[in-house]
Amino acid sequence: MQKHSRIIMSLAAALLVAATGAKAEDIIIAVPNPSYVPLLPIAVAMGEGYFEDEGLDLRVEALNGSGAVLQSLASGQAQIGNPGAGPFLSARARDLDVKFLYRLNPNSSYGLVVPEASEADTPEKLRGKVIGIGTADGAEAAFTRSIFNDSGMTEGTDYSFLVVGDGGLAIAAFSRGDIDAYAAATGDAAILNSRGILVRNITPDRFRKFFGNGLAAMTSYVDENPEVVVRFGRAIVKGARFAEKPENIDTVVDHIATINPQEAEDRDFVKALVEQIIVRQTPFEPGKGFGYQDHEAWVAWQDSLVQSGDLEKPVADLNAVYTNDFVERWNAVD
């Protein structure tokens, strides 16, 4: 019955395009790494045909970190990007007129982790240690720098960063003793644990509320294409609602496997990771809906970045860096 309904909806979308003479809108979305699990609603929307229903032709381009994502938006090589809040605010401070549209992860996607055997149970106990990060300009670096700054520690004096790569690459770094801790995204921690490097999250509680990566576009693109933004977000919300239903988890993994077969080779691991991603992507503001952005969370991010030195000073108008104008229309779906 569900497949029959999908066929009917796809046919309806095709007929609409034929009747109006309109062509599918091409959208390239730039993401900071090749994993589709953190992009769960997008992967599901692709698999279920929700983008097609909205008359959108989506292509995903995996780049190396949030800095590269923002550069692709600035150059016009992508219409939508998936940056972290730290690099995004730094780009805004450099006068890049980019706007955050959709908070994909209301809960923090990053954590400072140490091996189970480590004596460190607070950031202060990592004084003089080496912290592994995925990329030099990634959101995890800004996030972790803020944690240490809050503990009165300075990069290069009290601790140092070492770029070791994502997920599995951190296993070798731990095994060789190159790093004492790691700035891990949700998937990184799951990979480490599943491959025998058991880790503990020692992130202070107040930093766990820092939201993770979201969806952004150049302000000019948003202003010129508001209906495309509505259709894009509506497809994502449909994907998020599908993914959060426990009975759909096998189908969700199937969609990920179709897009990136290697990522879904261990289905049990992927299922566990999907469940964790859903927790992080579930809105916690009652009645606000998927994609909603809380101003106080932006204030917390900005204050932390200023304190850590990643931002020289607050941006001119924090309210202008994001918008909730589309949230109601995105969430008005069956």
Side-chain angles (χ1 to χ4, degrees):
M1 184 66 178
Q2 187 180 52
K3 288 184 178 179
H4 182 63
S5 297
R6 292 277 342 118
I7 292 171
I8 290 174
M9 286 189 285
S10 294
L11 285 173
L15 288 171
L16 177 62
V17 170
T20 60
K23 295 182 179 179
E25 186 78 27
D26 292 331
I27 292 182
I28 297 175
I29 175 171
V31 300
N33 64 68
S35 175
Y36 276 84
V37 177
L39 302 174
L40 200 58
I42 294 175
V44 172
M46 292 171 69
E48 290 294 307
Y50 296 147
F51 290 115
E52 293 175 4
D53 293 345
E54 296 288 349
L56 303 175
D57 185 3
L58 184 76
R59 189 169 91 238
V60 179
E61 294 288 347
L63 304 177
N64 187 25
S66 292
V69 166
L70 290 159
Q71 288 174 10
S72 73
L73 293 178
S75 65
Q77 294 178 315
Q79 288 72 50
I80 306 289
N82 179 224
F88 172 85
L89 281 174
S90 294
R92 284 287 309 204
R94 296 192 300 270
D95 296 324
L96 182 66
D97 195 8
V98 62
K99 192 175 291 287
F100 222 79
L101 303 173
Y102 187 113
R103 189 169 61 171
L104 191 59
N105 297 287
N107 299 279
S108 177
S109 297
Y110 297 103
L112 179 61
V113 303
V114 296
E116 282 281 6
S118 173
E119 296 181 356
D121 54 6
T122 64
E124 289 88 346
K125 293 185 180 179
L126 290 173
R127 191 176 296 274
K129 304 297 185 181
V130 179
I131 317 302
I133 53 177
T135 58
D137 62 351
E140 74 279 10
F143 176 80
T144 308
R145 192 177 291 113
S146 296
I147 291 174
F148 282 114
N149 183 76
D150 190 63
S151 300
M153 298 166 66
T154 303
E155 180 186 356
T157 300
D158 301 304
Y159 69 93
S160 60
F161 280 142
L162 178 66
V163 177
V164 297
D166 294 328
L169 296 175
I171 295 172
F174 270 127
S175 298
R176 292 193 301 264
D178 294 342
I179 60 175
D180 303 286
Y182 184 65
T186 304
D188 298 325
I191 290 170
L192 288 166
N193 282 325
S194 70
R195 298 187 184 175
I197 305 293
L198 301 181
V199 294
R200 289 183 286 108
N201 190 335
I202 63 169
T203 306
D205 287 344
R206 81 180 196 87
F207 285 93
R208 298 194 186 204
K209 69 178 182 180
F210 281 53
F211 60 91
N213 290 38
L215 301 174
M218 298 300 292
T219 300
S220 58
Y221 180 81
V222 177
D223 292 343
E224 294 167 10
N225 301 276
E227 288 305 312
V228 175
V229 174
V230 169
R231 287 150 52 199
F232 178 78
R234 195 158 53 202
I236 294 174
V237 170
K238 290 178 183 177
R241 290 184 177 176
F242 184 96
E244 69 178 353
K245 297 177 181 178
E247 63 269 25
N248 291 336
I249 191 165
D250 282 308
T251 303
V252 170
V253 175
D254 287 341
H255 289 323
I256 293 170
T258 298
I259 301 169
N260 188 349
Q262 290 184 330
E263 193 169 18
E265 288 178 349
D266 186 341
R267 287 186 69 92
D268 290 337
F269 170 75
V270 175
K271 282 184 180 181
L273 185 54
V274 164
E275 290 171 349
Q276 290 301 310
I277 292 294
I278 289 172
V279 169
R280 284 159 176 76
Q281 295 187 349
T282 299
F284 49 71
E285 294 91 350
K288 298 297 186 180
F290 287 97
Y292 177 79
Q293 303 177 67
D294 176 57
H295 184 72
E296 291 307 313
W298 275 109
V299 171
W301 254 117
Q302 177 173 258
D303 289 349
S304 177
L305 292 168
V306 171
Q307 291 172 7
S308 67
D310 286 280
L311 278 182
E312 182 179 346
K313 61 182 179 179
V315 297
D317 181 6
L318 191 60
N319 288 288
V321 309
Y322 70 94
T323 180
N324 283 316
D325 290 348
F326 300 97
V327 172
E328 185 175 348
R329 295 178 66 185
W330 288 338
N331 285 271
V333 295
D334 296 332

